[in-house]
Amino acid sequence: MGVLFTKRCVLCGEMLPAAGTGKAMLCSDCAAEVRQCYRCTETICIPGAVDAAAALYYTGKVRNAMQRFKFQHKQHYADWFAAQMLPLLADRLNAWQPDLVTFMPIGWLRRRERGYNQAELLAKAVAEPLGLPCRATLRKRAFTPKQSAQKDVAARQKNAERALLPRENAEVHGKSVVLLDDIITTGATAAAAVKLLREMGAVRVYVLAAAHTSGK
């Protein structure tokens, strides 16, 4: 039986050896580079959130891989990014005591163009191994300007607050909620989502991201 597909390293794109890789998604060089350079060690503060964490720094090869994940239909990258996030949540289960995992929404037009919400893929991949429910609780207001087009932190915060709305039948009242996103930059979007979830009745909100733009 012939080889139906080849596996390439998520970060550098090099072909992985045909034998002995199992579920590996990185070459040995990139695996070492992740351990040495890309693990996020910073304390992340999101206004309104009880705690926040990110797995990786959004730079270099990680940034390039995230771009491919989001914009080049590399949905299977969700497995690798989720694998980096899963230990963070597992280590915090006793402290966070989450009732459910939710995720940052994207607009319907972007969803139609892309075919998926990358944050939703990550949330499902993180929640399932821990036996946590994963539910959509927020939606994006139509025709909201892009965050990247905002000139400063204040503009991003104002834009983010008006961009999000509660999803119908979202059940977060009295619950401890983990909000999952792909990237934390200024934190304005995450803060707006946390604020809305608290207004919807969540008693505690935590933020977990695949990557964080370093403040160093």
Side-chain angles (χ1 to χ4, degrees):
M1 186 174 181
V3 177
L4 298 180
F5 61 92
T6 57
K7 292 179 67 175
R8 294 183 177 275
C9 175
V10 168
L11 294 189
C12 72
E14 290 296 318
M15 191 175 297
L16 297 176
T21 59
K23 294 184 178 181
M25 298 184 73
L26 295 185
C27 67
S28 58
D29 288 344
C30 285
E33 195 170 349
V34 167
R35 292 191 296 270
Q36 297 167 6
C37 305
Y38 290 118
R39 294 293 182 202
C40 182
T41 58
E42 292 184 34
T43 299
I44 300 173
C45 181
I46 302 294
V50 180
D51 195 8
L56 305 161
Y57 285 122
Y58 185 63
T59 186
K61 292 180 180 179
V62 168
R63 182 183 185 279
N64 293 339
M66 181 64 76
Q67 292 289 312
R68 292 193 296 272
F69 173 39
K70 294 175 66 171
F71 304 118
Q72 297 181 23
H73 304 287
K74 302 292 187 181
Q75 295 99 312
H76 63 286
Y77 280 25
D79 292 338
W80 183 77
F81 280 110
Q84 312 313 303
M85 304 165 71
L86 187 57
L88 296 183
L89 183 53
D91 288 346
R92 290 164 172 77
L93 283 180
N94 287 338
W96 290 8
Q97 297 187 0
D99 296 304
L100 66 92
V101 175
T102 191
F103 48 87
M104 197 70 68
I106 60 175
W108 67 269
L109 181 58
R110 184 169 295 179
R111 173 95 186 218
R112 187 178 69 177
E113 293 173 346
R114 189 173 301 168
Y116 56 94
N117 175 356
Q118 68 281 352
E120 180 179 4
L121 295 183
L122 293 171
K124 289 179 176 178
V126 168
E128 183 178 4
L130 298 175
L132 295 170
C134 180
R135 299 173 187 150
T137 58
L138 306 174
R139 61 187 177 92
K140 196 81 173 283
R141 189 189 299 272
F143 308 113
T144 302
K146 292 182 178 180
Q147 279 290 85
S148 58
Q150 307 309 305
K151 295 181 179 180
D152 53 37
V153 173
R156 290 175 69 94
Q157 182 175 357
K158 184 177 180 180
N159 188 62
E161 288 179 352
R162 66 188 180 204
L164 298 173
L165 295 168
R167 195 177 182 92
E168 291 184 11
N169 302 318
E171 298 181 1
V172 300
H173 187 79
K175 297 184 181 299
S176 176
V177 179
V178 176
L179 172 67
L180 196 142
D181 203 2
D182 54 352
I183 309 163
I184 294 174
T185 51
T186 65
T189 303
V194 169
K195 180 181 178 183
L196 182 53
L197 287 166
R198 292 297 304 273
E199 290 172 354
M200 293 163 61
V203 293
R204 295 182 300 276
V205 183
Y206 304 90
V207 178
L208 179 64
H212 168 53
T213 303
S214 175
K216 294 179 181 179

